Amino acid sequence: MPESGRATASATEDATGTPAAAARRAGLLVTLVLGGLTALPPLSMDMYLPALPQVTEALRAPAATVQLTLTACLAGMALGQLVVGPMSDKWGRRRPLLVGMIVYVLATAVCAFAPTAGLLVGFRLLQGLAGAAGIVIARAVVRDLYDGVEMARFFSTLMLISGAAPIVAPLIGGQILRVTDWRGVFYVLTGVGVLLTLVVWRFLHETLPPERRHAGGVGEALRTMRGLLADRVFTGYMLAGGLAFAALFAYISASPFVVQEIYGASPQTFSLLFGVNSVGLVVMGQVNGKLLVGRVSLDKALGWGLAIILAASLALLVMTSGVFGDPGLAPIAAGLFVLMSAMGLAMPNTNAQALMRTPHAAGSASALLGTSSFLIGAVASPLVGIAGETTAVPMAVVQVCCAAAAVACFLLLCRPWRRAAEQGDRAA
């Protein structure tokens, strides 16, 4: 599988013969498997959303307690990456991934039978911890198989799958609730987990050879992460990506109130706008992978993405603050669409640039990238409601601050112009 993946990346073995065709088929299979792993966490989060009112009623628990089932899953996904990433650098990608998937299946099955809200919260935490294996190891496998612009293209392809998951997950959850209760959502997630575990076991071979693994334990893992954070450029990409992701989190947290409560849109209109914005992100990710990567530098594409996010955030702040009167829903929706679409330029390229610097510790680097995004987003999300549900200004302020900080980290820590000059000197 690693050789097939590399052959797919280079595409030079035999343009017409069987080896090249087999390599392309293997590359497609890798894409589907890794896409499934990255789609599983949003499926676990968003498929469950329509069932929240039912859970509150069925378990006779306060709404705030049931909301903790979401928080616990998100926290588990963030913290689990810090554990699984270094494990995959020590023991390889395959074993930690399979263990994580098995634990995910068991935890999800217990959630389906949970008799109390407290037990549901606990096993949602475990579900998130185990599901983190798919996120972090998928990125590490991409780093094992690909490099340079091919890695950026692959991340853009993964965004096509992972970006579609939040669109279809609530729709699937709603259809499940038409034929069964909230426990049926966890039955379906258990089945998806079993299927994905079997596919990983059968088709995803080991991509990290023994000679490239780390022999140390927890202390070695911590030293590796400390070394990664000491790399100014890696940290710059990590923070730029995390802060851009926080602007996206602010949109996800605030948009139901902004679109429905402030501008009076129906739930159906909100769902339509959310879907359109997600499609924008997916399409821009494909533009990045198919048209830009290889023609312009990754730093240039990333810089444009961050600049567009900042410009859209500033436009939203001007509109929501009422400087030019009440803009109505259409201009706000357009600004949110531009902001979310630009994530398709920012997110794949920050991951690719950061991981290109860390071939020796892709698992640990992937863990830091994922955890920082979740944690920064988790901090930013509650701030959007700090002034209540009657104004969208806090959402725009959070987005402007996050976008400006992302641009600052990119310029001050990554210093793309210096690295471009260095690469030009080496080429000369």
Side-chain angles (χ1 to χ4, degrees):
M1 183 69 69
E3 295 302 319
S4 299
R6 289 188 177 91
T8 303
S10 61
T12 59
E13 186 174 337
D14 181 359
T16 59
T18 302
R24 283 192 292 272
R25 285 195 298 270
L28 176 61
L29 187 59
V30 169
T31 302
L32 294 175
V33 174
L34 298 183
L37 292 172
T38 56
L40 188 59
L43 285 176
S44 301
M45 292 289 294
D46 297 341
M47 194 186 296
Y48 174 67
L49 292 178
L52 286 178
Q54 275 196 18
V55 177
T56 302
E57 181 179 352
L59 298 182
R60 293 182 175 85
T65 301
V66 175
Q67 284 286 89
L68 285 177
T69 62
L70 297 176
T71 304
C73 189
L74 183 61
M77 290 178 187
L79 298 176
Q81 295 183 64
L82 289 177
V83 177
V84 178
M87 287 172 58
S88 73
D89 284 336
K90 180 178 180 180
W91 292 310
R93 314 302 185 203
R94 184 175 162 84
R95 279 190 292 172
L97 178 56
L98 285 172
V99 171
M101 292 303 301
I102 292 170
V103 175
Y104 173 88
V105 169
L106 295 175
T108 306
V110 174
C111 287
F113 295 98
T116 65
L119 190 64
L120 182 59
V121 170
F123 277 91
R124 283 284 280 177
L125 175 64
L126 182 59
Q127 183 191 43
L129 287 167
I135 308 173
V136 66
I137 293 181
R139 276 196 301 261
V141 168
V142 173
R143 182 63 188 92
D144 293 339
L145 297 179
Y146 300 96
D147 198 4
V149 296
E150 291 298 331
M151 181 165 55
R153 286 196 180 104
F154 200 97
F155 276 127
S156 294
T157 303
L158 285 185
M159 183 167 288
L160 176 64
I161 301 174
S162 61
I167 303 174
V168 301
L171 300 177
I172 296 173
Q175 294 305 309
I176 292 171
L177 294 177
R178 291 172 65 93
V179 297
T180 183
D181 62 5
W182 65 272
R183 298 183 189 275
V185 174
F186 288 107
Y187 296 149
V188 172
L189 286 173
T190 301
V192 171
V194 170
L195 177 62
L196 196 52
T197 302
L198 294 174
V199 170
V200 169
W201 175 76
R202 175 65 180 83
F203 296 109
L204 188 63
H205 299 173
E206 182 57 63
T207 61
L208 186 68
E211 61 272 15
R212 289 174 52 198
R213 298 178 189 175
H214 293 191
V218 176
E220 177 65 23
L222 293 176
R223 283 190 292 272
T224 299
M225 288 187 176
R226 187 166 63 245
L228 291 173
L229 293 174
D231 181 345
R232 171 179 50 79
V233 179
F234 172 84
T235 301
Y237 286 122
M238 180 188 74
L239 291 176
L243 288 162
F245 195 63
L248 175 61
F249 258 62
Y251 155 75
I252 293 173
S253 299
S255 59
F257 302 102
V258 171
V259 174
Q260 296 180 81
E261 299 297 328
I262 298 177
Y263 292 100
S266 67
Q268 291 73 27
T269 300
F270 166 72
S271 299
L272 176 62
L273 292 176
F274 191 89
V276 168
N277 289 345
S278 299
V279 169
L281 185 150
V282 170
V283 170
M284 189 56 68
Q286 297 314 293
V287 169
N288 177 72
K290 305 298 184 183
L291 299 180
L292 299 182
V293 172
R295 292 179 173 84
V296 301
S297 70
L298 299 185
D299 277 333
K300 185 173 290 186
L302 171 57
W304 274 108
L306 294 177
I308 294 171
I309 293 171
L310 179 58
S313 301
L314 289 169
L316 286 168
L317 179 59
V318 170
M319 288 188 289
T320 56
S321 62
V323 173
F324 300 108
D326 184 6
L329 177 59
I332 299 295
L336 291 172
F337 174 80
V338 172
L339 183 146
M340 194 164 179
S341 297
M343 297 291 172
L345 292 176
M347 292 164 63
N349 293 318
T350 51
N351 284 335
Q353 289 288 64
L355 288 173
M356 270 195 286
R357 300 183 63 84
T358 60
H360 59 289
S364 297
S366 178
L368 288 173
L369 290 172
T371 300
S372 63
S373 294
F374 276 106
L375 291 181
I376 296 173
V379 171
S381 294
L383 299 178
V384 300
I386 197 169
E389 301 175 5
T390 60
T391 174
V393 171
M395 176 194 73
V397 169
V398 170
Q399 290 172 331
V400 168
C401 292
C402 290
V407 171
C409 289
F410 176 59
L411 295 177
L412 299 178
L413 297 178
C414 302
R415 301 176 187 175
W417 63 90
R418 291 190 182 180
R419 297 172 61 245
E422 292 170 359
Q423 291 170 0
D425 293 340
R426 285 196 295 268

